[in-house]
Amino acid sequence: GTVASRLAEARRLLQLRLTRRGVALSAMLTLAALTEGATAGVPASLAAATLRAASGGAVSGTVAALVGRGFGSLTAFKTKAVVGVLLLLGVVAVAAGARGDAEPQAAAPPAAKADTPPAEPKDAVVFAGRVLGADDKPVAGARLFVLYYTPKRAKIPVRGTSDAEGRFRFAVARADFDAAETAEPWRGAAVVARADGFGLGTEILAKGKRRLDALTVRLPKDDAPLNGRVLDLQGKPLAGVRVAVRGLHAPRAGDLTAFVAALKERKEAYPVLREFCDGFEGRWIGHDAGTLFEPAVTGADGRFVVAGVGRERVVALNFEGPGIATADVFAMTHAAATVRVPAYVSRTTGELMTFHGNGFDYVAAPDQPVVGVVRDKDTGKPIAGAVVQSYQLAGSRVSEVTHLRAVANAAGRFRLTGLPKGEGNVVRASPPEGQPYLMALADVPARADLGAVTVDFALKRGVWITGRVLDKATGKPLHARVEYAVFEDNPHLKEAPRLTTNSYLETRADDGRFRVVGLPGRGLLAARAHGDGYLLAAGAEAIAGLQDNGHFSTYPHLIYSKSFHTLAEVSPAEGKEAITCDLVLDPGGSRAGRVLGPDGKPLAGARLSGRHDGGGWETLAGSNFTLTGLRPGKKRLVQVVHAGKGLAGFAFADGDAKEALAVTLRPAATLTGRLVTADGDPVADVEILSTRPVRGDDTDVGGFPNGFRPDKKGRFRIEGLVPGLKYNLGVAKGVYLLGTGPEGENVTLKAGETKNLGDVKVRRPDE
């Protein structure tokens, strides 16, 4: 490794110096390339010819003899190093020629500077920086990846490799990102580095809007690899269990001590994980994470080791093997006892999440095999190639968990394994690619023994609904998520019992096309682009059945209009094979804006809500911003908070105005009080927020830029509030939104004011 790095540095310096002297470098670069792929079969004649080429033809007899003797005694593992020596000999020869010690040669044309990177495509994003270890020393040979939450490839490609100084530079085509998401969709990515002997290092680009050409990816030590043991219910080791990495989280504090303490104190998993760690999992890490982490397999003693994670990391692991229930668990490269807490503070989901310390024992439960046949509902014929997947797992209320999969054979028969035993398993059948069958769900009966249960499907043929998602202003196709649902009063719904639809259908990135299977009669299509530059709920008001809360009564789930940019009703006639419906997204109007301090001067670094239709808080790098999705004749509330300077302000953006909007900040206000029950007991394990009307135009009700939580006695202090706006306190507990008494409604504050609300009663959802 030392020789290789020094040779690389020697080549770089030589190229620079020879270029200054006007010496051609093509022969030298050829020889350098040979050092990367040399084998033990290189003949002495070729080596001598290489030296002649490197030096312009002038090789002394001594050097030639030395080369001949050296190749005669090469072994396979020495060849690469010796060819490196040949490079150094070539360096001597060329340098001698450059000084005039060899015969004069014809002047070579000036070569391009060797340290100039190759021309990069115009339609590309360039990433550059350094890879460093925990000791701040450069790491050579690290492989660089770019993780994006909608990877375009099944395998994550290597984008570049760090040099001897730890430096890297590579370009990624913009087409690899969703151009419609934001102006710079790559800001939602992460640059990841892997190197032998180190843990995985990440640089999440969204943090602080950091420069893409000055990144620093730090690799932690991997001297405490993640390890454990897999046992059966009798405590016997299980061999052949596949252990795969599904996600990785790194603590912001450097170690996991505070994270583990917060898990135990707050007794909730995901909010604590998001608060204390940066990371990625699921679609972030890609469809096939094997490029980053090769799956481990347990040995005869049931033990496994996952290398390359690094110190003080939280890892999402997947256990899969013959006869066991496939399961996802969290483990830590940190010495800690096992912690089991609810996924969220409310126990309404009934789920506990487990976090294991390093060196843990995992007890794998036996699985529940499912066998059956998939047939056409009307003809009874088997549907070869039908796909049967898990949909909901026993003990969980989370749906569309589709990682377990089986394909029906020519007779329509399938066998699905990996489900946990117990009540609550649900499986889904979907048609082979290109066949217009509606998807259906089926419950899996519980069985105490280890035998398989039988679940058969009868799928109903439907109607193809095709179309494109387009930008109204430009006519260009958009990458978007599309959902289809059936109105509950559709009489054809009874023909497709346990109908289900795909909530994660994406349009094709290149042309915006989508295709779904629907029922005859009234249905609803809804689309949301990967970005927020469009009007929300466009078209919803014209569709019969819109409720006051913004929902439509549809099956298999209610569709909330403001979760989508546009909605359209479809109603295929009975007997129709296909219909077309394009979904057009309206960008609305736009308007420039800027943030000003109390002195009237531009102020950078504030957080803003209201830049796009639907709100949402984001941090501004500078003082300027652009409002999008403005509606003619409507006003939008724009809020700005600068926590660092204790300032806040608001303005209403008129959808018809053209001049720039100025938001002038004043001293922010503070709200304090105590949350209590009707009996006066403190309410602690909740999140406090400010609620706004579900429907209606923009109002003067403000929202909180951050989540706030009371202490153990129910006391709260909410800073950074905008003077002049109204606040309606609400309380989130798990999946429930709880209201408060009159003392928490329509609270208005003055600039710089601190208002104490005293005891604020929390109301149950049914009150």
Side-chain angles (χ1 to χ4, degrees), residues 91-143:
V91 170
V92 174
V94 175
R99 291 195 308 267
D101 297 334
E103 294 181 10
Q105 302 295 316
K113 288 187 177 182
D115 60 339
T116 301
E120 289 151 348
K122 292 183 179 179
D123 190 25
V125 183
V126 176
F127 301 88
R130 299 188 74 190
V131 181
L132 304 177
D135 55 3
D136 285 339
K137 293 182 179 179
V139 177
R143 303 179 302 283

Side-chain angles (χ1 to χ4, degrees), residues 597-598 602-605 641-648 665-668:
L603 183 63
V641 174
H642 199 302
K645 296 185 178 295
L647 301 173
L665 306 189
R666 298 184 292 164

Side-chain angles (χ1 to χ4, degrees), residues 197-426:
F198 293 90
L200 183 141
T202 65
E203 181 76 341
I204 298 177
L205 303 180
K207 294 192 304 180
K209 284 281 186 180
R210 50 201 62 194
R211 288 176 51 183
L212 302 185
D213 61 349
L215 302 172
T216 301
V217 184
R218 298 186 183 276
L219 304 186
K221 292 183 178 180
D222 193 38
D223 50 1
L226 183 66
N227 68 94
R229 187 172 56 154
V230 181
L231 309 173
D232 64 14
L233 295 180
Q234 288 73 44
K236 296 179 180 179
L238 288 174
V241 177
R242 184 176 181 269
V243 185
V245 173
R246 289 289 184 263
L248 189 71
H249 303 264
R252 299 187 186 101
D255 63 58
L256 293 171
T257 303
F259 166 75
V260 174
L263 283 178
K264 295 177 179 178
E265 179 180 353
R266 288 168 46 177
K267 295 181 172 53
E268 57 180 349
Y270 276 121
V272 172
L273 189 63
R274 288 194 296 264
E275 180 179 334
F276 285 84
C277 300
D278 291 322
F280 39 83
E281 56 184 302
R283 295 171 71 202
W284 256 96
I285 207 167
H287 300 298
D288 180 1
T291 307
L292 299 179
F293 297 97
E294 290 297 333
V297 179
T298 59
D301 58 357
R303 297 192 178 278
F304 67 89
V305 176
V306 179
V309 171
R311 282 184 179 180
E312 300 296 318
R313 296 290 175 85
V314 180
V315 188
L317 295 175
N318 176 263
F319 291 85
E320 184 181 60
I324 70 169
T326 299
D328 295 317
V329 303
F330 285 95
M332 300 175 284
T333 51
H334 175 87
T338 297
V339 181
R340 290 185 176 87
V341 294
Y344 293 92
V345 68
S346 170
R347 294 178 182 268
T348 54
T349 60
E351 291 182 79
L352 291 177
M353 291 180 60
T354 303
F355 293 83
H356 296 284
N358 209 2
F360 65 102
D361 284 347
Y362 171 70
V363 179
D367 73 336
Q368 177 58 74
V370 179
V371 297
V373 181
V374 184
R375 294 185 174 91
D376 183 300
K377 184 177 185 295
D378 297 320
T379 67
K381 294 181 179 180
I383 303 176
V387 179
V388 180
Q389 295 170 280
S390 57
Y391 186 81
Q392 188 169 321
L393 304 181
S396 172
R397 296 187 183 181
V398 179
S399 61
E400 293 200 60
V401 182
T402 58
H403 59 287
L404 303 177
R405 185 176 186 269
V407 179
N409 61 17
R413 298 189 176 277
F414 68 90
R415 181 182 178 86
L416 181 67
T417 60
L419 290 170
K421 298 188 74 65
E423 297 282 353
N425 282 315
V426 180

Side-chain angles (χ1 to χ4, degrees), residues 661-741:
L661 178 73
V663 183
T664 302
L665 306 189
R666 298 184 292 164
T670 300
L671 199 61
T672 65
R674 188 171 74 109
L675 297 181
V676 297
T677 66
D679 298 327
D681 297 326
V683 177
D685 55 347
V686 296
E687 182 177 0
I688 307 173
L689 44 85
S690 180
T691 60
R692 303 181 67 182
V694 175
R695 296 189 69 185
D697 297 333
D698 296 315
T699 69
D700 56 355
V701 177
F704 295 160
N706 301 295
F708 295 92
R709 304 185 70 88
D711 63 15
K712 294 180 180 180
K713 296 183 178 180
R715 296 174 301 195
F716 62 85
R717 181 181 180 87
I718 304 172
E719 300 178 336
L721 301 186
V722 182
L725 290 181
K726 295 179 182 177
Y727 290 95
N728 290 320
L729 296 189
V731 175
K733 182 177 177 65
V735 297
Y736 293 119
L737 178 63
L738 312 180
T740 59

Side-chain angles (χ1 to χ4, degrees), residues 589-662:
S590 63
R591 185 178 175 188
R594 58 179 178 171
V595 178
L596 303 177
D599 57 1
K601 295 181 180 180
L603 183 63
R607 297 196 72 198
L608 177 144
S609 172
R611 188 182 64 81
H612 52 77
D613 196 13
W617 290 89
E618 56 188 283
T619 301
L620 300 175
S623 60
N624 295 329
F625 57 88
T626 300
L627 303 175
T628 62
L630 293 171
R631 301 172 186 264
K634 304 293 183 181
K635 292 183 178 181
R636 179 188 300 169
L637 174 63
V638 179
Q639 304 174 74
V640 180
V641 174
H642 199 302
K645 296 185 178 295
L647 301 173
F650 75 96
F652 286 103
D654 191 327
D656 298 314
K658 300 300 180 184
E659 71 277 5
L661 178 73

